Coordinates of all heavy atoms in Angstrom, one line a residue:
M1 N 173.6 32.1 68.5 CA 172.7 32.2 69.6 C 172.2 30.9 70.1 O 171.8 30.0 69.3 CB 171.5 33.1 69.2 CG 170.5 33.3 70.3 SD 169.1 34.3 69.7 CE 169.4 35.7 70.7
K2 N 172.3 30.7 71.4 CA 171.9 29.4 72.0 C 170.4 29.3 72.1 O 169.8 30.2 72.6 CB 172.6 29.3 73.3 CG 172.6 27.9 73.9 CD 173.4 27.8 75.2 CE 173.5 26.4 75.6 NZ 174.3 26.3 76.9
Q3 N 169.8 28.2 71.7 CA 168.4 28.0 71.8 C 168.0 27.6 73.2 O 168.7 26.8 73.8 CB 167.9 27.0 70.8 CG 166.4 26.8 70.7 CD 166.0 25.8 69.6 OE1 166.8 25.2 69.0 NE2 164.7 25.7 69.4
Q4 N 166.9 28.2 73.7 CA 166.5 27.9 75.0 C 165.8 26.5 75.1 O 165.1 26.2 74.1 CB 165.5 28.9 75.6 CG 166.2 30.2 76.0 CD 165.2 31.2 76.6 OE1 164.0 31.2 76.3 NE2 165.7 31.9 77.6
N5 N 166.0 25.8 76.1 CA 165.4 24.5 76.3 C 163.9 24.8 76.6 O 163.5 25.7 77.2 CB 166.0 23.8 77.5 CG 165.5 22.4 77.7 OD1 164.5 22.0 77.1 ND2 166.1 21.7 78.6
Q6 N 163.0 23.9 76.1 CA 161.6 24.0 76.3 C 161.2 24.1 77.7 O 160.3 24.8 78.1 CB 160.9 22.8 75.6 CG 159.4 22.8 75.8 CD 158.8 21.6 75.2 OE1 159.2 21.1 74.2 NE2 157.8 21.0 75.8
N7 N 161.9 23.5 78.6 CA 161.6 23.5 80.0 C 161.8 24.8 80.7 O 161.4 25.1 81.8 CB 162.4 22.4 80.8 CG 162.1 21.0 80.3 OD1 161.0 20.8 79.8 ND2 163.0 20.1 80.4
T8 N 162.6 25.8 80.0 CA 162.8 27.1 80.6 C 161.6 28.0 80.4 O 161.6 29.0 81.1 CB 164.1 27.7 80.0 OG1 163.9 27.9 78.6 CG2 165.3 26.9 80.3
F9 N 160.7 27.6 79.6 CA 159.5 28.5 79.3 C 158.4 28.0 80.3 O 158.2 26.8 80.5 CB 159.0 28.4 77.9 CG 160.0 28.9 76.9 CD1 160.8 28.1 76.1 CD2 160.1 30.3 76.7 CE1 161.7 28.6 75.2 CE2 161.0 30.8 75.8 CZ 161.8 30.0 75.1
T10 N 157.6 29.0 80.7 CA 156.4 28.6 81.6 C 155.3 28.0 80.7 O 155.4 28.2 79.5 CB 155.9 29.9 82.3 OG1 155.3 30.8 81.3 CG2 157.0 30.6 83.1
Y11 N 154.4 27.4 81.3 CA 153.3 26.8 80.6 C 152.5 27.9 79.8 O 152.2 27.7 78.6 CB 152.3 26.1 81.6 CG 151.1 25.6 80.9 CD1 151.1 24.3 80.3 CD2 149.9 26.3 80.9 CE1 149.9 23.9 79.7 CE2 148.7 25.8 80.3 CZ 148.8 24.6 79.7 OH 147.7 24.1 79.1
D12 N 152.3 29.1 80.4 CA 151.6 30.1 79.8 C 152.3 30.6 78.5 O 151.7 31.0 77.5 CB 151.3 31.3 80.7 CG 150.2 30.9 81.8 OD1 149.4 30.0 81.5 OD2 150.2 31.6 82.8
E13 N 153.7 30.7 78.6 CA 154.5 31.2 77.5 C 154.4 30.2 76.4 O 154.3 30.5 75.2 CB 155.9 31.4 77.9 CG 156.1 32.6 78.8 CD 157.5 32.6 79.5 OE1 158.1 31.6 79.6 OE2 157.9 33.8 79.8
R14 N 154.5 28.9 76.7 CA 154.4 27.8 75.7 C 153.0 27.8 75.0 O 152.9 27.7 73.8 CB 154.7 26.5 76.3 CG 156.2 26.3 76.7 CD 156.6 24.9 77.1 NE 155.6 23.9 77.3 CZ 155.2 23.6 78.5 NH1 155.7 24.2 79.6 NH2 154.3 22.6 78.7
L15 N 152.0 28.0 75.9 CA 150.6 28.0 75.3 C 150.4 29.2 74.4 O 149.8 29.0 73.3 CB 149.6 28.0 76.5 CG 148.1 28.0 76.0 CD1 147.8 26.8 75.2 CD2 147.2 28.1 77.3
H16 N 150.9 30.3 74.8 CA 150.7 31.5 74.0 C 151.4 31.3 72.6 O 150.9 31.6 71.6 CB 151.3 32.8 74.7 CG 151.2 34.0 73.9 ND1 150.1 34.7 73.6 CD2 152.2 34.7 73.2 CE1 150.3 35.7 72.8 NE2 151.6 35.7 72.6
S17 N 152.6 30.8 72.7 CA 153.4 30.6 71.4 C 152.7 29.5 70.6 O 152.6 29.7 69.3 CB 154.8 30.1 71.8 OG 155.5 29.7 70.7
F18 N 152.2 28.5 71.2 CA 151.5 27.4 70.4 C 150.3 28.0 69.7 O 150.0 27.7 68.5 CB 151.1 26.3 71.3 CG 150.5 25.1 70.6 CD1 151.2 24.2 70.0 CD2 149.1 24.9 70.7 CE1 150.6 23.1 69.3 CE2 148.5 23.9 70.0 CZ 149.3 22.9 69.4
K19 N 149.5 28.7 70.5 CA 148.2 29.3 69.9 C 148.6 30.3 68.8 O 147.9 30.3 67.7 CB 147.4 30.1 71.0 CG 146.8 29.1 72.0 CD 146.0 29.7 73.1 CE 145.8 31.1 73.2 NZ 145.1 31.6 74.4
K20 N 149.6 31.1 68.9 CA 150.0 32.0 67.9 C 150.5 31.3 66.6 O 150.1 31.6 65.5 CB 151.0 33.0 68.4 CG 151.4 34.1 67.5 CD 152.3 35.1 68.1 CE 152.6 36.2 67.2 NZ 153.5 37.2 67.8
R21 N 151.3 30.3 66.9 CA 151.9 29.5 65.8 C 150.9 28.8 65.0 O 151.0 28.6 63.7 CB 153.0 28.6 66.3 CG 153.8 27.9 65.3 CD 155.0 27.1 65.9 NE 154.5 26.3 67.1 CZ 155.1 26.3 68.3 NH1 156.1 27.0 68.5 NH2 154.6 25.5 69.2
H22 N 149.9 28.2 65.6 CA 148.9 27.4 64.9 C 147.5 28.2 64.7 O 146.6 27.6 64.4 CB 148.6 26.2 65.7 CG 149.8 25.3 65.8 ND1 150.2 24.5 64.7 CD2 150.7 25.0 66.7 CE1 151.3 23.8 65.0 NE2 151.6 24.1 66.3
N23 N 147.6 29.5 65.0 CA 146.4 30.3 64.8 C 145.2 29.8 65.5 O 144.1 29.6 64.9 CB 146.1 30.5 63.3 CG 145.2 31.7 63.0 OD1 145.1 32.6 63.8 ND2 144.4 31.6 61.9
L24 N 145.3 29.5 66.8 CA 144.2 29.0 67.6 C 143.7 30.0 68.6 O 144.4 30.9 69.0 CB 144.7 27.8 68.4 CG 145.2 26.5 67.6 CD1 145.8 25.5 68.5 CD2 144.0 25.9 66.9
Q25 N 142.4 29.8 68.9 CA 141.8 30.5 70.0 C 141.9 29.7 71.2 O 142.4 28.6 71.2 CB 140.3 30.7 69.6 CG 140.1 31.5 68.3 CD 140.7 32.9 68.3 OE1 140.6 33.6 69.3 NE2 141.4 33.2 67.3
E26 N 141.3 30.1 72.3 CA 141.4 29.3 73.6 C 140.5 28.1 73.4 O 140.9 27.0 73.9 CB 140.9 30.2 74.8 CG 141.0 29.5 76.1 CD 142.5 29.1 76.4 OE1 143.4 29.9 76.1 OE2 142.7 28.1 77.0
V27 N 139.4 28.2 72.7 CA 138.5 27.0 72.5 C 138.3 26.9 71.0 O 138.0 27.9 70.3 CB 137.2 27.2 73.2 CG1 136.3 26.0 72.9 CG2 137.4 27.3 74.7
N28 N 138.5 25.7 70.4 CA 138.5 25.5 69.0 C 137.6 24.4 68.5 O 137.3 23.5 69.2 CB 139.9 25.2 68.5 CG 140.9 26.2 69.0 OD1 141.1 27.2 68.3 ND2 141.6 26.0 70.1
T29 N 137.1 24.6 67.3 CA 136.3 23.5 66.7 C 137.1 22.4 66.3 O 138.4 22.4 66.3 CB 135.6 24.1 65.4 OG1 136.5 24.4 64.4 CG2 134.7 25.3 65.7
S30 N 136.5 21.3 65.9 CA 137.2 20.1 65.4 C 138.0 20.4 64.2 O 139.1 19.9 64.1 CB 136.2 19.0 65.1 OG 136.8 17.8 64.8
K31 N 137.5 21.2 63.3 CA 138.2 21.5 62.0 C 139.5 22.4 62.4 O 140.5 22.1 61.8 CB 137.3 22.3 61.1 CG 136.3 21.4 60.4 CD 135.5 22.2 59.4 CE 134.5 21.3 58.7 NZ 133.7 22.0 57.7
E32 N 139.3 23.3 63.3 CA 140.5 24.1 63.7 C 141.5 23.3 64.3 O 142.7 23.4 64.1 CB 140.0 25.2 64.6 CG 139.2 26.3 63.9 CD 138.5 27.2 64.9 OE1 138.3 26.8 66.1 OE2 138.1 28.3 64.5
A33 N 141.1 22.3 65.2 CA 142.1 21.4 65.9 C 142.7 20.5 64.9 O 144.0 20.3 64.9 CB 141.3 20.6 66.9
A34 N 142.0 20.0 63.9 CA 142.6 19.2 62.9 C 143.6 19.9 62.1 O 144.7 19.4 61.8 CB 141.5 18.6 62.0
F35 N 143.3 21.1 61.7 CA 144.3 21.9 60.9 C 145.5 22.2 61.7 O 146.6 22.0 61.2 CB 143.6 23.3 60.6 CG 144.5 24.1 59.7 CD1 144.7 23.9 58.4 CD2 145.2 25.2 60.3 CE1 145.5 24.7 57.6 CE2 146.0 26.0 59.5 CZ 146.2 25.7 58.2
A36 N 145.4 22.5 63.0 CA 146.6 22.7 63.9 C 147.5 21.5 64.0 O 148.7 21.6 64.1 CB 146.2 23.2 65.2
L37 N 146.8 20.3 64.1 CA 147.6 19.1 64.3 C 147.9 18.4 63.0 O 148.5 17.3 63.0 CB 146.8 18.1 65.2 CG 146.4 18.6 66.6 CD1 145.6 17.6 67.4 CD2 147.7 19.0 67.3
R38 N 147.5 19.0 61.9 CA 147.9 18.5 60.5 C 147.3 17.2 60.3 O 148.0 16.3 59.7 CB 149.4 18.6 60.3 CG 149.9 20.0 60.4 CD 151.4 20.0 60.1 NE 151.9 21.3 60.1 CZ 152.7 21.8 61.1 NH1 153.0 21.0 62.1 NH2 153.1 23.0 61.0
V39 N 146.0 17.0 60.6 CA 145.3 15.8 60.3 C 143.9 16.2 59.7 O 143.6 17.4 59.8 CB 145.0 14.9 61.5 CG1 146.4 14.4 62.1 CG2 144.2 15.6 62.6
S40 N 143.2 15.3 59.1 CA 141.9 15.6 58.5 C 140.8 15.7 59.6 O 141.0 15.2 60.7 CB 141.5 14.6 57.5 OG 141.2 13.4 58.2
D41 N 139.8 16.4 59.3 CA 138.6 16.5 60.2 C 138.0 15.2 60.5 O 137.7 14.8 61.6 CB 137.6 17.5 59.6 CG 136.5 17.8 60.6 OD1 136.8 17.9 61.8 OD2 135.3 17.8 60.2
F42 N 138.0 14.3 59.4 CA 137.5 12.9 59.6 C 138.4 12.2 60.6 O 137.9 11.5 61.5 CB 137.5 12.2 58.3 CG 137.2 10.7 58.4 CD1 135.8 10.4 58.6 CD2 138.1 9.7 58.5 CE1 135.5 9.0 58.8 CE2 137.8 8.4 58.6 CZ 136.5 8.1 58.8
T43 N 139.7 12.4 60.6 CA 140.6 11.7 61.5 C 140.3 12.2 63.0 O 140.3 11.4 63.9 CB 142.1 12.0 61.2 OG1 142.3 11.5 59.8 CG2 143.0 11.3 62.1
M44 N 140.0 13.5 63.1 CA 139.7 14.0 64.5 C 138.4 13.4 65.0 O 138.3 13.0 66.1 CB 139.6 15.5 64.4 CG 140.9 16.3 64.3 SD 142.1 15.9 65.5 CE 141.4 16.8 66.9
R45 N 137.4 13.3 64.1 CA 136.1 12.7 64.5 C 136.3 11.2 64.9 O 135.7 10.8 65.8 CB 135.1 12.8 63.3 CG 134.5 14.2 63.2 CD 133.4 14.2 62.2 NE 133.7 13.4 61.0 CZ 133.6 13.8 59.8 NH1 133.0 15.0 59.5 NH2 133.9 13.1 58.8
L46 N 137.1 10.5 64.1 CA 137.4 9.1 64.4 C 138.1 9.0 65.7 O 137.8 8.0 66.5 CB 138.2 8.5 63.2 CG 138.4 7.0 63.2 CD1 137.1 6.3 63.1 CD2 139.3 6.6 62.1
S47 N 139.0 9.9 66.0 CA 139.7 9.8 67.2 C 138.8 9.9 68.5 O 139.1 9.4 69.5 CB 140.8 10.9 67.3 OG 140.3 12.2 67.6
R48 N 137.7 10.7 68.3 CA 136.8 10.8 69.4 C 136.1 9.5 69.7 O 135.7 9.2 70.8 CB 135.8 11.9 69.2 CG 136.4 13.3 69.2 CD 135.4 14.4 69.2 NE 134.5 14.5 68.1 CZ 134.8 15.1 67.0 NH1 135.9 15.8 66.8 NH2 133.9 15.2 66.0
S49 N 135.9 8.7 68.6 CA 135.2 7.4 68.8 C 136.2 6.3 69.3 O 135.8 5.5 70.2 CB 134.7 6.9 67.5 OG 133.7 7.8 67.0
T50 N 137.4 6.3 68.8 CA 138.4 5.3 69.2 C 139.2 5.6 70.4 O 139.8 4.8 71.0 CB 139.3 5.0 68.0 OG1 140.1 6.2 67.7 CG2 138.6 4.6 66.8
G51 N 139.3 6.9 70.7 CA 140.2 7.4 71.8 C 141.7 7.5 71.3 O 142.5 7.7 72.2
L52 N 142.0 7.2 70.1 CA 143.3 7.2 69.6 C 143.5 8.2 68.4 O 142.6 8.3 67.6 CB 143.8 5.8 69.1 CG 143.9 4.7 70.1 CD1 144.1 3.4 69.5 CD2 144.9 5.1 71.2
L53 N 144.6 8.9 68.4 CA 144.9 9.8 67.3 C 146.4 9.5 66.9 O 147.3 9.7 67.8 CB 144.7 11.2 67.6 CG 145.1 12.2 66.6 CD1 144.2 12.0 65.3 CD2 144.9 13.7 67.1
L54 N 146.6 9.0 65.7 CA 148.0 8.7 65.2 C 148.7 7.7 66.2 O 149.9 7.8 66.4 CB 148.8 10.0 65.1 CG 148.2 11.0 64.1 CD1 149.1 12.2 64.1 CD2 148.0 10.5 62.7
G55 N 147.9 6.8 66.7 CA 148.5 5.7 67.5 C 148.7 6.0 68.9 O 149.2 5.2 69.7
T56 N 148.3 7.2 69.4 CA 148.4 7.5 70.8 C 147.1 8.0 71.3 O 146.2 8.2 70.5 CB 149.5 8.6 71.1 OG1 149.1 9.8 70.4 CG2 150.9 8.2 70.5
N57 N 147.0 8.2 72.6 CA 145.7 8.8 73.2 C 145.3 10.1 72.5 O 146.2 10.9 72.3 CB 145.8 9.0 74.7 CG 145.9 7.7 75.4 OD1 145.4 6.6 74.9 ND2 146.5 7.7 76.6
A58 N 144.1 10.2 72.1 CA 143.6 11.4 71.4 C 143.6 12.6 72.4 O 143.4 12.4 73.6 CB 142.2 11.2 70.9
P59 N 143.7 13.8 71.9 CA 143.5 15.0 72.8 C 142.1 15.1 73.4 O 141.2 14.6 72.8 CB 143.8 16.2 71.9 CG 143.7 15.7 70.5 CD 143.9 14.2 70.5
K60 N 142.1 15.6 74.6 CA 140.8 15.8 75.3 C 139.9 16.7 74.5 O 140.4 17.6 73.9 CB 141.0 16.4 76.7 CG 141.7 15.5 77.6 CD 141.9 16.2 79.0 CE 142.8 15.4 79.9 NZ 143.1 16.2 81.1
H61 N 138.6 16.5 74.6 CA 137.6 17.3 73.9 C 136.4 17.5 74.8 O 136.2 16.7 75.8 CB 137.2 16.8 72.6 CG 136.4 15.5 72.7 ND1 137.0 14.3 72.8 CD2 135.1 15.2 72.6 CE1 136.1 13.3 72.9 NE2 134.9 13.9 72.8
S62 N 135.6 18.5 74.6 CA 134.4 18.8 75.3 C 133.2 18.9 74.4 O 133.4 19.3 73.2 CB 134.5 20.1 76.1 OG 135.6 20.1 76.9
K63 N 132.1 18.4 74.8 CA 130.9 18.5 74.0 C 129.9 19.5 74.7 O 129.7 19.4 75.9 CB 130.2 17.2 73.8 CG 131.0 16.2 72.9 CD 130.2 15.1 72.5 CE 129.3 15.5 71.4 NZ 128.7 14.4 70.7
Y64 N 129.4 20.4 73.9 CA 128.4 21.3 74.3 C 127.2 21.1 73.4 O 127.1 21.6 72.3 CB 128.9 22.8 74.2 CG 130.1 23.0 75.0 CD1 131.4 22.9 74.4 CD2 130.1 23.3 76.3 CE1 132.5 23.2 75.1 CE2 131.2 23.5 77.1 CZ 132.4 23.4 76.5 OH 133.6 23.6 77.2
G65 N 126.3 20.3 73.8 CA 125.2 19.8 72.9 C 125.8 19.0 71.8 O 126.5 18.0 72.1
R66 N 125.6 19.4 70.6 CA 126.2 18.7 69.5 C 127.6 19.2 69.1 O 128.3 18.6 68.3 CB 125.3 18.7 68.3 CG 124.0 18.0 68.5 CD 123.0 18.1 67.4 NE 123.5 17.4 66.2 CZ 122.9 17.5 65.0 NH1 121.8 18.1 64.9 NH2 123.5 16.9 64.0
A67 N 127.9 20.3 69.6 CA 129.2 21.0 69.3 C 130.4 20.4 70.0 O 130.3 20.1 71.2 CB 129.1 22.5 69.6
V68 N 131.4 20.1 69.3 CA 132.6 19.5 69.9 C 133.7 20.6 69.9 O 133.9 21.3 68.9 CB 133.2 18.3 69.2 CG1 134.5 17.8 69.7 CG2 132.1 17.2 69.1
R69 N 134.4 20.8 71.1 CA 135.4 21.8 71.2 C 136.7 21.3 71.8 O 136.6 20.4 72.7 CB 134.9 23.0 72.1 CG 133.7 23.7 71.5 CD 134.1 24.5 70.2 NE 132.9 25.2 69.7 CZ 132.2 24.8 68.6 NH1 132.5 23.7 68.0 NH2 131.2 25.6 68.2
Y70 N 137.8 21.8 71.4 CA 139.1 21.4 71.9 C 139.7 22.7 72.5 O 139.8 23.7 71.9 CB 140.0 20.9 70.8 CG 139.6 19.6 70.2 CD1 138.6 19.5 69.2 CD2 140.1 18.4 70.7 CE1 138.2 18.3 68.7 CE2 139.7 17.2 70.2 CZ 138.8 17.1 69.2 OH 138.4 15.9 68.7
H71 N 140.2 22.5 73.7 CA 140.9 23.7 74.4 C 142.4 23.7 73.8 O 143.0 22.6 73.7 CB 140.9 23.5 75.9 CG 139.6 23.7 76.5 ND1 139.1 24.9 76.9 CD2 138.6 22.8 76.7 CE1 137.9 24.8 77.3 NE2 137.5 23.6 77.2
A72 N 142.9 24.9 73.6 CA 144.2 25.0 73.1 C 145.3 24.3 73.9 O 146.2 23.7 73.4 CB 144.6 26.5 72.9
G73 N 145.1 24.4 75.2 CA 146.1 23.8 76.2 C 146.1 22.3 76.0 O 147.2 21.7 76.0
D74 N 144.9 21.6 75.8 CA 144.9 20.2 75.5 C 145.6 19.8 74.2 O 146.3 18.8 74.1 CB 143.4 19.7 75.5 CG 142.8 19.8 76.9 OD1 143.5 19.8 77.9 OD2 141.6 20.0 77.0
L75 N 145.4 20.6 73.2 CA 146.0 20.4 71.9 C 147.5 20.5 72.0 O 148.3 19.7 71.5 CB 145.5 21.3 70.8 CG 144.0 21.2 70.5 CD1 143.6 22.3 69.5 CD2 143.7 19.8 69.9
M76 N 148.0 21.6 72.8 CA 149.4 21.8 72.9 C 150.0 20.6 73.7 O 151.1 20.1 73.3 CB 149.7 23.1 73.7 CG 151.2 23.3 73.9 SD 151.5 24.7 75.0 CE 151.1 24.0 76.5
N77 N 149.3 20.2 74.8 CA 149.9 19.0 75.6 C 150.0 17.8 74.7 O 151.0 17.1 74.8 CB 149.0 18.8 76.8 CG 149.1 19.9 77.8 OD1 150.1 20.6 77.9 ND2 148.1 20.0 78.6
W78 N 149.0 17.5 73.9 CA 149.0 16.3 73.0 C 150.2 16.5 72.0 O 150.9 15.5 71.8 CB 147.7 16.2 72.3 CG 147.6 14.9 71.4 CD1 147.2 13.7 71.8 CD2 148.1 14.8 70.1 NE1 147.4 12.8 70.8 CE2 147.9 13.5 69.7 CE3 148.6 15.7 69.1 CZ2 148.2 13.0 68.4 CZ3 148.9 15.2 67.9 CH2 148.7 13.9 67.5
F79 N 150.3 17.7 71.4 CA 151.3 17.9 70.4 C 152.7 17.7 71.0 O 153.6 17.0 70.5 CB 151.2 19.3 69.9 CG 152.0 19.6 68.7 CD1 151.7 19.2 67.4 CD2 153.2 20.3 68.9 CE1 152.5 19.5 66.4 CE2 154.0 20.6 67.8 CZ 153.7 20.2 66.5
E80 N 152.9 18.3 72.2 CA 154.2 18.2 72.8 C 154.6 16.8 73.3 O 155.7 16.3 73.1 CB 154.3 19.1 74.1 CG 154.4 20.6 73.7 CD 154.5 21.5 75.0 OE1 154.2 21.0 76.1 OE2 154.8 22.7 74.8
Q81 N 153.6 16.1 73.7 CA 153.8 14.7 74.2 C 154.2 13.8 73.0 O 155.1 13.0 73.1 CB 152.5 14.1 74.8 CG 152.6 12.7 75.3 CD 151.3 12.2 75.9 OE1 150.2 12.7 75.6 NE2 151.4 11.2 76.7
N82 N 153.5 14.0 71.8 CA 153.8 13.2 70.7 C 155.1 13.7 70.0 O 155.8 12.9 69.3 CB 152.6 13.2 69.7 CG 151.5 12.4 70.3 OD1 151.6 11.2 70.5 ND2 150.5 13.1 70.8
E83 N 155.4 14.9 70.1 CA 156.7 15.4 69.5 C 157.8 14.8 70.3 O 158.8 14.4 69.6 CB 156.7 17.0 69.7 CG 157.9 17.6 69.0 CD 157.8 19.1 69.1 OE1 157.6 19.6 70.3 OE2 157.8 19.8 68.1
N84 N 157.7 14.7 71.6 CA 158.7 14.0 72.4 C 158.9 12.5 72.1 O 160.0 12.0 72.0 CB 158.5 14.2 73.9 CG 158.6 15.7 74.3 OD1 159.3 16.4 73.6 ND2 158.0 16.0 75.4
Q85 N 157.7 11.9 71.8 CA 157.8 10.4 71.5 C 158.4 10.2 70.1 O 159.2 9.3 70.0 CB 156.4 9.8 71.5 CG 155.8 9.7 72.9 CD 154.4 9.1 72.8 OE1 153.8 9.0 71.8 NE2 153.8 8.9 74.0
D86 N 158.2 11.1 69.2 CA 158.8 11.0 67.9 C 160.3 11.2 68.0 O 161.1 10.4 67.3 CB 158.2 12.0 66.9 CG 156.8 11.7 66.5 OD1 156.3 10.6 66.7 OD2 156.1 12.6 66.0
S87 N 160.8 12.1 68.8 CA 162.2 12.3 68.8 C 162.9 11.2 69.6 O 164.1 10.9 69.3 CB 162.5 13.7 69.5 OG 162.1 13.7 70.9
E88 N 162.2 10.5 70.6 CA 162.8 9.4 71.3 C 162.9 8.2 70.4 O 163.8 7.4 70.5 CB 162.0 9.1 72.5 CG 162.1 10.2 73.6 CD 161.1 9.9 74.8 OE1 160.4 8.9 74.7 OE2 161.1 10.8 75.7
A89 N 161.9 8.0 69.5 CA 161.9 6.9 68.6 C 163.0 7.0 67.5 O 163.5 5.9 67.0 CB 160.5 6.8 67.9
A90 N 163.4 8.2 67.2 CA 164.4 8.3 66.1 C 165.8 8.0 66.6 O 166.2 7.7 67.6 CB 164.4 9.8 65.7

């Protein structure tokens, strides 16, 4: 069976698959985002201060009072962007 290219899927299909695969809601806590991206919660907190996560721009986040939230779409975009950079470097 031939695997479909990522570009053949719509944004909504890719987002749904990403959320399901990483057990994410539409809006996620820092700990949930860290778990999905396979980094520590401390690393996610540090990325908010430095603007960098694993050597690239950190995913977007929102603050509601003291609460920090990450939208699943922003996490997916960050993940896909860095996945592509890793494959280009190899």
Side-chain angles (χ1 to χ4, degrees):
M1 178 180 251
K2 194 174 187 180
Q3 186 176 6
Q4 286 186 326
N5 186 349
Q6 175 179 325
N7 296 333
T8 62
F9 294 104
T10 67
Y11 176 82
D12 289 337
E13 290 170 333
R14 291 191 345 263
L15 180 59
H16 177 73
S17 175
F18 183 81
K19 286 179 4 183
K20 187 174 181 180
R21 187 174 46 231
H22 295 284
N23 195 28
L24 293 172
Q25 303 299 317
E26 188 59 38
V27 179
N28 303 278
T29 66
S30 183
K31 285 183 181 183
E32 292 166 339
F35 182 78
L37 299 180
R38 296 184 179 106
V39 297
S40 70
D41 187 39
F42 174 78
T43 300
M44 290 301 289
R45 287 190 312 230
L46 189 61
S47 76
R48 292 193 297 272
S49 298
T50 63
L52 295 173
L53 179 61
L54 303 178
T56 63
N57 290 334
K60 295 178 188 175
H61 66 279
S62 301
K63 289 194 79 171
Y64 303 96
R66 294 176 65 184
V68 176
R69 297 292 182 258
Y70 291 86
H71 291 270
D74 294 333
L75 296 174
M76 181 189 71
N77 291 337
W78 184 90
F79 188 81
E80 287 180 347
Q81 181 181 23
N82 289 294
E83 185 176 54
N84 292 338
Q85 288 178 354
D86 289 344
S87 64
E88 289 172 4

